[in-house]
PDB file of all heavy atoms in Angstrom:
ATOM      1  N   PRO A   1       0.813  -1.215   0.000  1.00  0.00           N
ATOM      2  CA  PRO A   1       0.000   0.000   0.000  1.00  0.00           C
ATOM      3  C   PRO A   1       0.851   1.272   0.000  1.00  0.00           C
ATOM      4  O   PRO A   1       1.967   1.288   0.524  1.00  0.00           O
ATOM      5  CB  PRO A   1      -0.780  -0.116   1.314  1.00  0.00           C
ATOM      6  CG  PRO A   1       0.134  -0.883   2.220  1.00  0.00           C
ATOM      7  CD  PRO A   1       0.861  -1.847   1.319  1.00  0.00           C
ATOM      8  N   ALA A   2       0.303   2.310  -0.588  1.00  0.00           N
ATOM      9  CA  ALA A   2       0.883   3.640  -0.417  1.00  0.00           C
ATOM     10  C   ALA A   2       0.479   4.082   0.986  1.00  0.00           C
ATOM     11  O   ALA A   2      -0.703   4.051   1.337  1.00  0.00           O
ATOM     12  CB  ALA A   2       0.333   4.600  -1.454  1.00  0.00           C
ATOM     13  N   CYS A   3       1.436   4.460   1.818  1.00  0.00           N
ATOM     14  CA  CYS A   3       1.104   4.868   3.178  1.00  0.00           C
ATOM     15  C   CYS A   3       2.252   5.678   3.784  1.00  0.00           C
ATOM     16  O   CYS A   3       3.398   5.562   3.366  1.00  0.00           O
ATOM     17  CB  CYS A   3       0.779   3.666   4.057  1.00  0.00           C
ATOM     18  SG  CYS A   3       2.084   2.430   4.174  1.00  0.00           S
ATOM     19  N   SER A   4       1.895   6.488   4.748  1.00  0.00           N
ATOM     20  CA  SER A   4       2.863   7.315   5.473  1.00  0.00           C
ATOM     21  C   SER A   4       2.319   7.589   6.867  1.00  0.00           C
ATOM     22  O   SER A   4       1.112   7.522   7.087  1.00  0.00           O
ATOM     23  CB  SER A   4       3.073   8.664   4.773  1.00  0.00           C
ATOM     24  OG  SER A   4       3.537   8.508   3.469  1.00  0.00           O
ATOM     25  N   PHE A   5       3.212   7.927   7.771  1.00  0.00           N
ATOM     26  CA  PHE A   5       2.780   8.359   9.089  1.00  0.00           C
ATOM     27  C   PHE A   5       2.243   9.782   9.001  1.00  0.00           C
ATOM     28  O   PHE A   5       2.773  10.613   8.245  1.00  0.00           O
ATOM     29  CB  PHE A   5       3.936   8.274  10.092  1.00  0.00           C
ATOM     30  CG  PHE A   5       4.163   6.876  10.588  1.00  0.00           C
ATOM     31  CD1 PHE A   5       4.976   6.000   9.876  1.00  0.00           C
ATOM     32  CD2 PHE A   5       3.541   6.429  11.745  1.00  0.00           C
ATOM     33  CE1 PHE A   5       5.173   4.703  10.316  1.00  0.00           C
ATOM     34  CE2 PHE A   5       3.736   5.125  12.192  1.00  0.00           C
ATOM     35  CZ  PHE A   5       4.549   4.261  11.474  1.00  0.00           C
ATOM     36  N   LEU A   6       1.183  10.061   9.755  1.00  0.00           N
ATOM     37  CA  LEU A   6       0.520  11.367   9.703  1.00  0.00           C
ATOM     38  C   LEU A   6       1.495  12.534   9.879  1.00  0.00           C
ATOM     39  O   LEU A   6       1.443  13.507   9.122  1.00  0.00           O
ATOM     40  CB  LEU A   6      -0.562  11.447  10.792  1.00  0.00           C
ATOM     41  CG  LEU A   6      -1.859  10.723  10.504  1.00  0.00           C
ATOM     42  CD1 LEU A   6      -2.677  10.569  11.781  1.00  0.00           C
ATOM     43  CD2 LEU A   6      -2.650  11.456   9.443  1.00  0.00           C
ATOM     44  N   GLU A   7       2.383  12.423  10.855  1.00  0.00           N
ATOM     45  CA  GLU A   7       3.317  13.523  11.119  1.00  0.00           C
ATOM     46  C   GLU A   7       4.242  13.768   9.937  1.00  0.00           C
ATOM     47  O   GLU A   7       4.560  14.920   9.614  1.00  0.00           O
ATOM     48  CB  GLU A   7       4.159  13.231  12.369  1.00  0.00           C
ATOM     49  CG  GLU A   7       3.374  13.052  13.639  1.00  0.00           C
ATOM     50  CD  GLU A   7       2.895  11.611  13.872  1.00  0.00           C
ATOM     51  OE1 GLU A   7       2.993  10.770  12.956  1.00  0.00           O
ATOM     52  OE2 GLU A   7       2.405  11.346  14.978  1.00  0.00           O
ATOM     53  N   ASP A   8       4.684  12.697   9.290  1.00  0.00           N
ATOM     54  CA  ASP A   8       5.563  12.833   8.134  1.00  0.00           C
ATOM     55  C   ASP A   8       4.819  13.465   6.958  1.00  0.00           C
ATOM     56  O   ASP A   8       5.352  14.322   6.257  1.00  0.00           O
ATOM     57  CB  ASP A   8       6.139  11.474   7.733  1.00  0.00           C
ATOM     58  CG  ASP A   8       7.027  10.885   8.814  1.00  0.00           C
ATOM     59  OD1 ASP A   8       7.563  11.656   9.649  1.00  0.00           O
ATOM     60  OD2 ASP A   8       7.183   9.654   8.837  1.00  0.00           O
ATOM     61  N   THR A   9       3.576  13.034   6.746  1.00  0.00           N
ATOM     62  CA  THR A   9       2.773  13.613   5.670  1.00  0.00           C
ATOM     63  C   THR A   9       2.561  15.097   5.904  1.00  0.00           C
ATOM     64  O   THR A   9       2.688  15.901   4.973  1.00  0.00           O
ATOM     65  CB  THR A   9       1.413  12.890   5.557  1.00  0.00           C
ATOM     66  OG1 THR A   9       1.650  11.518   5.265  1.00  0.00           O
ATOM     67  CG2 THR A   9       0.548  13.500   4.469  1.00  0.00           C
ATOM     68  N   ALA A  10       2.243  15.471   7.126  1.00  0.00           N
ATOM     69  CA  ALA A  10       2.025  16.890   7.434  1.00  0.00           C
ATOM     70  C   ALA A  10       3.266  17.718   7.118  1.00  0.00           C
ATOM     71  O   ALA A  10       3.168  18.808   6.536  1.00  0.00           O
ATOM     72  CB  ALA A  10       1.630  17.056   8.900  1.00  0.00           C
ATOM     73  N   ALA A  11       4.436  17.214   7.470  1.00  0.00           N
ATOM     74  CA  ALA A  11       5.678  17.951   7.199  1.00  0.00           C
ATOM     75  C   ALA A  11       5.918  18.075   5.694  1.00  0.00           C
ATOM     76  O   ALA A  11       6.327  19.140   5.209  1.00  0.00           O
ATOM     77  CB  ALA A  11       6.862  17.251   7.872  1.00  0.00           C
ATOM     78  N   VAL A  12       5.657  17.008   4.949  1.00  0.00           N
ATOM     79  CA  VAL A  12       5.834  17.055   3.496  1.00  0.00           C
ATOM     80  C   VAL A  12       4.844  18.035   2.878  1.00  0.00           C
ATOM     81  O   VAL A  12       5.212  18.834   2.008  1.00  0.00           O
ATOM     82  CB  VAL A  12       5.689  15.648   2.871  1.00  0.00           C
ATOM     83  CG1 VAL A  12       5.645  15.723   1.356  1.00  0.00           C
ATOM     84  CG2 VAL A  12       6.836  14.754   3.316  1.00  0.00           C
ATOM     85  N   LEU A  13       3.599  17.997   3.308  1.00  0.00           N
ATOM     86  CA  LEU A  13       2.596  18.918   2.761  1.00  0.00           C
ATOM     87  C   LEU A  13       2.981  20.368   3.030  1.00  0.00           C
ATOM     88  O   LEU A  13       2.819  21.236   2.165  1.00  0.00           O
ATOM     89  CB  LEU A  13       1.212  18.609   3.330  1.00  0.00           C
ATOM     90  CG  LEU A  13       0.611  17.268   2.938  1.00  0.00           C
ATOM     91  CD1 LEU A  13      -0.729  17.041   3.653  1.00  0.00           C
ATOM     92  CD2 LEU A  13       0.450  17.149   1.432  1.00  0.00           C
ATOM     93  N   TYR A  14       3.480  20.633   4.205  1.00  0.00           N
ATOM     94  CA  TYR A  14       3.911  21.991   4.558  1.00  0.00           C
ATOM     95  C   TYR A  14       5.020  22.461   3.607  1.00  0.00           C
ATOM     96  O   TYR A  14       4.979  23.573   3.084  1.00  0.00           O
ATOM     97  CB  TYR A  14       4.385  22.009   6.016  1.00  0.00           C
ATOM     98  CG  TYR A  14       4.740  23.376   6.517  1.00  0.00           C
ATOM     99  CD1 TYR A  14       3.763  24.255   6.957  1.00  0.00           C
ATOM    100  CD2 TYR A  14       6.072  23.795   6.559  1.00  0.00           C
ATOM    101  CE1 TYR A  14       4.080  25.525   7.421  1.00  0.00           C
ATOM    102  CE2 TYR A  14       6.410  25.055   7.025  1.00  0.00           C
ATOM    103  CZ  TYR A  14       5.410  25.912   7.445  1.00  0.00           C
ATOM    104  OH  TYR A  14       5.740  27.159   7.901  1.00  0.00           O
ATOM    105  N   ARG A  15       5.998  21.581   3.363  1.00  0.00           N
ATOM    106  CA  ARG A  15       7.091  21.933   2.445  1.00  0.00           C
ATOM    107  C   ARG A  15       6.581  22.131   1.023  1.00  0.00           C
ATOM    108  O   ARG A  15       6.985  23.069   0.334  1.00  0.00           O
ATOM    109  CB  ARG A  15       8.184  20.863   2.465  1.00  0.00           C
ATOM    110  CG  ARG A  15       9.138  20.967   3.625  1.00  0.00           C
ATOM    111  CD  ARG A  15      10.401  20.134   3.421  1.00  0.00           C
ATOM    112  NE  ARG A  15      10.195  18.799   2.914  1.00  0.00           N
ATOM    113  CZ  ARG A  15       9.952  17.723   3.670  1.00  0.00           C
ATOM    114  NH1 ARG A  15       9.887  17.838   4.978  1.00  0.00           N
ATOM    115  NH2 ARG A  15       9.791  16.541   3.104  1.00  0.00           N
ATOM    116  N   LEU A  16       5.707  21.243   0.579  1.00  0.00           N
ATOM    117  CA  LEU A  16       5.171  21.372  -0.777  1.00  0.00           C
ATOM    118  C   LEU A  16       4.429  22.697  -0.939  1.00  0.00           C
ATOM    119  O   LEU A  16       4.575  23.377  -1.954  1.00  0.00           O
ATOM    120  CB  LEU A  16       4.232  20.208  -1.108  1.00  0.00           C
ATOM    121  CG  LEU A  16       4.872  18.866  -1.406  1.00  0.00           C
ATOM    122  CD1 LEU A  16       3.801  17.785  -1.561  1.00  0.00           C
ATOM    123  CD2 LEU A  16       5.752  18.931  -2.642  1.00  0.00           C
ATOM    124  N   ARG A  17       3.639  23.050   0.046  1.00  0.00           N
ATOM    125  CA  ARG A  17       2.885  24.302  -0.030  1.00  0.00           C
ATOM    126  C   ARG A  17       3.815  25.502  -0.190  1.00  0.00           C
ATOM    127  O   ARG A  17       3.551  26.418  -0.948  1.00  0.00           O
ATOM    128  CB  ARG A  17       2.019  24.471   1.214  1.00  0.00           C
ATOM    129  CG  ARG A  17       1.100  25.700   1.101  1.00  0.00           C
ATOM    130  CD  ARG A  17       0.681  26.222   2.415  1.00  0.00           C
ATOM    131  NE  ARG A  17       1.863  26.700   3.138  1.00  0.00           N
ATOM    132  CZ  ARG A  17       1.844  27.145   4.374  1.00  0.00           C
ATOM    133  NH1 ARG A  17       0.726  27.144   5.048  1.00  0.00           N
ATOM    134  NH2 ARG A  17       2.926  27.567   4.966  1.00  0.00           N
ATOM    135  N   ASP A  18       4.920  25.468   0.525  1.00  0.00           N
ATOM    136  CA  ASP A  18       5.833  26.613   0.519  1.00  0.00           C
ATOM    137  C   ASP A  18       6.866  26.586  -0.601  1.00  0.00           C
ATOM    138  O   ASP A  18       7.338  27.639  -1.023  1.00  0.00           O
ATOM    139  CB  ASP A  18       6.581  26.694   1.855  1.00  0.00           C
ATOM    140  CG  ASP A  18       5.695  27.205   2.969  1.00  0.00           C
ATOM    141  OD1 ASP A  18       4.566  27.646   2.689  1.00  0.00           O
ATOM    142  OD2 ASP A  18       6.140  27.158   4.132  1.00  0.00           O
ATOM    143  N   GLU A  19       7.221  25.390  -1.098  1.00  0.00           N
ATOM    144  CA  GLU A  19       8.376  25.308  -1.986  1.00  0.00           C
ATOM    145  C   GLU A  19       8.099  24.730  -3.371  1.00  0.00           C
ATOM    146  O   GLU A  19       8.913  24.908  -4.276  1.00  0.00           O
ATOM    147  CB  GLU A  19       9.468  24.447  -1.320  1.00  0.00           C
ATOM    148  CG  GLU A  19       9.924  25.005   0.016  1.00  0.00           C
ATOM    149  CD  GLU A  19      10.786  24.026   0.806  1.00  0.00           C
ATOM    150  OE1 GLU A  19      11.160  22.963   0.268  1.00  0.00           O
ATOM    151  OE2 GLU A  19      11.068  24.335   1.974  1.00  0.00           O
ATOM    152  N   ALA A  20       7.007  24.031  -3.568  1.00  0.00           N
ATOM    153  CA  ALA A  20       6.792  23.307  -4.825  1.00  0.00           C
ATOM    154  C   ALA A  20       6.209  24.197  -5.913  1.00  0.00           C
ATOM    155  O   ALA A  20       5.434  25.115  -5.648  1.00  0.00           O
ATOM    156  CB  ALA A  20       5.864  22.118  -4.588  1.00  0.00           C
ATOM    157  N   ALA A  21       6.586  23.881  -7.138  1.00  0.00           N
ATOM    158  CA  ALA A  21       5.982  24.523  -8.301  1.00  0.00           C
ATOM    159  C   ALA A  21       4.566  23.965  -8.455  1.00  0.00           C
ATOM    160  O   ALA A  21       4.257  22.882  -7.955  1.00  0.00           O
ATOM    161  CB  ALA A  21       6.812  24.218  -9.545  1.00  0.00           C
ATOM    162  N   PRO A  22       3.694  24.681  -9.148  1.00  0.00           N
ATOM    163  CA  PRO A  22       2.347  24.157  -9.370  1.00  0.00           C
ATOM    164  C   PRO A  22       2.396  22.780 -10.028  1.00  0.00           C
ATOM    165  O   PRO A  22       3.284  22.492 -10.831  1.00  0.00           O
ATOM    166  CB  PRO A  22       1.719  25.181 -10.329  1.00  0.00           C
ATOM    167  CG  PRO A  22       2.513  26.438 -10.115  1.00  0.00           C
ATOM    168  CD  PRO A  22       3.900  25.986  -9.767  1.00  0.00           C
ATOM    169  N   GLY A  23       1.461  21.914  -9.662  1.00  0.00           N
ATOM    170  CA  GLY A  23       1.401  20.597 -10.267  1.00  0.00           C
ATOM    171  C   GLY A  23       0.952  19.538  -9.286  1.00  0.00           C
ATOM    172  O   GLY A  23       0.533  19.833  -8.169  1.00  0.00           O
ATOM    173  N   ILE A  24       1.070  18.290  -9.729  1.00  0.00           N
ATOM    174  CA  ILE A  24       0.646  17.136  -8.933  1.00  0.00           C
ATOM    175  C   ILE A  24       1.884  16.422  -8.403  1.00  0.00           C
ATOM    176  O   ILE A  24       2.832  16.168  -9.142  1.00  0.00           O
ATOM    177  CB  ILE A  24      -0.201  16.175  -9.782  1.00  0.00           C
ATOM    178  CG1 ILE A  24      -1.509  16.869 -10.200  1.00  0.00           C
ATOM    179  CG2 ILE A  24      -0.492  14.882  -9.022  1.00  0.00           C
ATOM    180  CD1 ILE A  24      -2.354  16.083 -11.153  1.00  0.00           C
ATOM    181  N   TYR A  25       1.839  16.092  -7.109  1.00  0.00           N
ATOM    182  CA  TYR A  25       2.946  15.427  -6.427  1.00  0.00           C
ATOM    183  C   TYR A  25       2.425  14.181  -5.718  1.00  0.00           C
ATOM    184  O   TYR A  25       1.275  14.148  -5.272  1.00  0.00           O
ATOM    185  CB  TYR A  25       3.608  16.369  -5.414  1.00  0.00           C
ATOM    186  CG  TYR A  25       4.235  17.564  -6.072  1.00  0.00           C
ATOM    187  CD1 TYR A  25       3.483  18.689  -6.392  1.00  0.00           C
ATOM    188  CD2 TYR A  25       5.585  17.558  -6.405  1.00  0.00           C
ATOM    189  CE1 TYR A  25       4.059  19.788  -7.027  1.00  0.00           C
ATOM    190  CE2 TYR A  25       6.172  18.646  -7.036  1.00  0.00           C
ATOM    191  CZ  TYR A  25       5.401  19.750  -7.346  1.00  0.00           C
ATOM    192  OH  TYR A  25       5.977  20.828  -7.982  1.00  0.00           O
ATOM    193  N   LEU A  26       3.280  13.179  -5.603  1.00  0.00           N
ATOM    194  CA  LEU A  26       2.924  11.928  -4.943  1.00  0.00           C
ATOM    195  C   LEU A  26       3.673  11.830  -3.618  1.00  0.00           C
ATOM    196  O   LEU A  26       4.894  11.972  -3.590  1.00  0.00           O
ATOM    197  CB  LEU A  26       3.280  10.737  -5.833  1.00  0.00           C
ATOM    198  CG  LEU A  26       2.775  10.796  -7.280  1.00  0.00           C
ATOM    199  CD1 LEU A  26       3.219   9.560  -8.044  1.00  0.00           C
ATOM    200  CD2 LEU A  26       1.273  10.971  -7.334  1.00  0.00           C
ATOM    201  N   VAL A  27       2.940  11.584  -2.543  1.00  0.00           N
ATOM    202  CA  VAL A  27       3.526  11.544  -1.200  1.00  0.00           C
ATOM    203  C   VAL A  27       3.287  10.155  -0.609  1.00  0.00           C
ATOM    204  O   VAL A  27       2.152   9.781  -0.318  1.00  0.00           O
ATOM    205  CB  VAL A  27       2.909  12.629  -0.293  1.00  0.00           C
ATOM    206  CG1 VAL A  27       3.535  12.583   1.097  1.00  0.00           C
ATOM    207  CG2 VAL A  27       3.047  14.014  -0.922  1.00  0.00           C
ATOM    208  N   ASP A  28       4.367   9.390  -0.464  1.00  0.00           N
ATOM    209  CA  ASP A  28       4.262   8.016   0.024  1.00  0.00           C
ATOM    210  C   ASP A  28       5.560   7.638   0.716  1.00  0.00           C
ATOM    211  O   ASP A  28       6.635   7.798   0.161  1.00  0.00           O
ATOM    212  CB  ASP A  28       3.989   7.074  -1.158  1.00  0.00           C
ATOM    213  CG  ASP A  28       3.853   5.620  -0.760  1.00  0.00           C
ATOM    214  OD1 ASP A  28       3.745   5.316   0.443  1.00  0.00           O
ATOM    215  OD2 ASP A  28       3.847   4.770  -1.671  1.00  0.00           O
ATOM    216  N   GLY A  29       5.459   7.104   1.930  1.00  0.00           N
ATOM    217  CA  GLY A  29       6.649   6.708   2.670  1.00  0.00           C
ATOM    218  C   GLY A  29       6.964   5.227   2.591  1.00  0.00           C
ATOM    219  O   GLY A  29       7.941   4.770   3.174  1.00  0.00           O
ATOM    220  N   ASN A  30       6.127   4.455   1.881  1.00  0.00           N
ATOM    221  CA  ASN A  30       6.369   3.013   1.805  1.00  0.00           C
ATOM    222  C   ASN A  30       7.223   2.704   0.591  1.00  0.00           C
ATOM    223  O   ASN A  30       6.768   2.780  -0.538  1.00  0.00           O
ATOM    224  CB  ASN A  30       5.060   2.227   1.722  1.00  0.00           C
ATOM    225  CG  ASN A  30       5.287   0.732   1.756  1.00  0.00           C
ATOM    226  OD1 ASN A  30       6.365   0.256   2.110  1.00  0.00           O
ATOM    227  ND2 ASN A  30       4.264  -0.013   1.376  1.00  0.00           N
ATOM    228  N   ARG A  31       8.435   2.298   0.844  1.00  0.00           N
ATOM    229  CA  ARG A  31       9.341   1.993  -0.259  1.00  0.00           C
ATOM    230  C   ARG A  31       9.260   0.540  -0.696  1.00  0.00           C
ATOM    231  O   ARG A  31       9.418   0.238  -1.867  1.00  0.00           O
ATOM    232  CB  ARG A  31      10.759   2.370   0.133  1.00  0.00           C
ATOM    233  CG  ARG A  31      10.825   3.865   0.462  1.00  0.00           C
ATOM    234  CD  ARG A  31      12.136   4.494   0.160  1.00  0.00           C
ATOM    235  NE  ARG A  31      12.009   5.941   0.267  1.00  0.00           N
ATOM    236  CZ  ARG A  31      12.534   6.661   1.228  1.00  0.00           C
ATOM    237  NH1 ARG A  31      13.262   6.101   2.167  1.00  0.00           N
ATOM    238  NH2 ARG A  31      12.369   7.967   1.231  1.00  0.00           N
ATOM    239  N   HIS A  32       9.041  -0.392   0.252  1.00  0.00           N
ATOM    240  CA  HIS A  32       9.073  -1.801  -0.148  1.00  0.00           C
ATOM    241  C   HIS A  32       8.331  -2.761   0.780  1.00  0.00           C
ATOM    242  O   HIS A  32       8.443  -3.977   0.619  1.00  0.00           O
ATOM    243  CB  HIS A  32      10.523  -2.288  -0.288  1.00  0.00           C
ATOM    244  CG  HIS A  32      11.273  -2.235   1.004  1.00  0.00           C
ATOM    245  ND1 HIS A  32      11.170  -3.223   1.952  1.00  0.00           N
ATOM    246  CD2 HIS A  32      12.113  -1.306   1.511  1.00  0.00           C
ATOM    247  CE1 HIS A  32      11.929  -2.897   3.001  1.00  0.00           C
ATOM    248  NE2 HIS A  32      12.502  -1.747   2.749  1.00  0.00           N
ATOM    249  N   LEU A  33       7.590  -2.283   1.746  1.00  0.00           N
ATOM    250  CA  LEU A  33       6.968  -3.181   2.724  1.00  0.00           C
ATOM    251  C   LEU A  33       5.563  -3.618   2.304  1.00  0.00           C
ATOM    252  O   LEU A  33       4.770  -2.821   1.808  1.00  0.00           O
ATOM    253  CB  LEU A  33       6.876  -2.493   4.087  1.00  0.00           C
ATOM    254  CG  LEU A  33       8.204  -2.139   4.751  1.00  0.00           C
ATOM    255  CD1 LEU A  33       7.966  -1.371   6.044  1.00  0.00           C
ATOM    256  CD2 LEU A  33       9.028  -3.390   5.008  1.00  0.00           C
TER     257      LEU A  33
END
């Protein structure tokens, strides 16, 4: 499954809001489990 811990997702969303160019981004912390 695509999944992440809530705290990690919140930090990524905060960075994306402030630093990312317009567009669609994928946020997932599961690399192989």
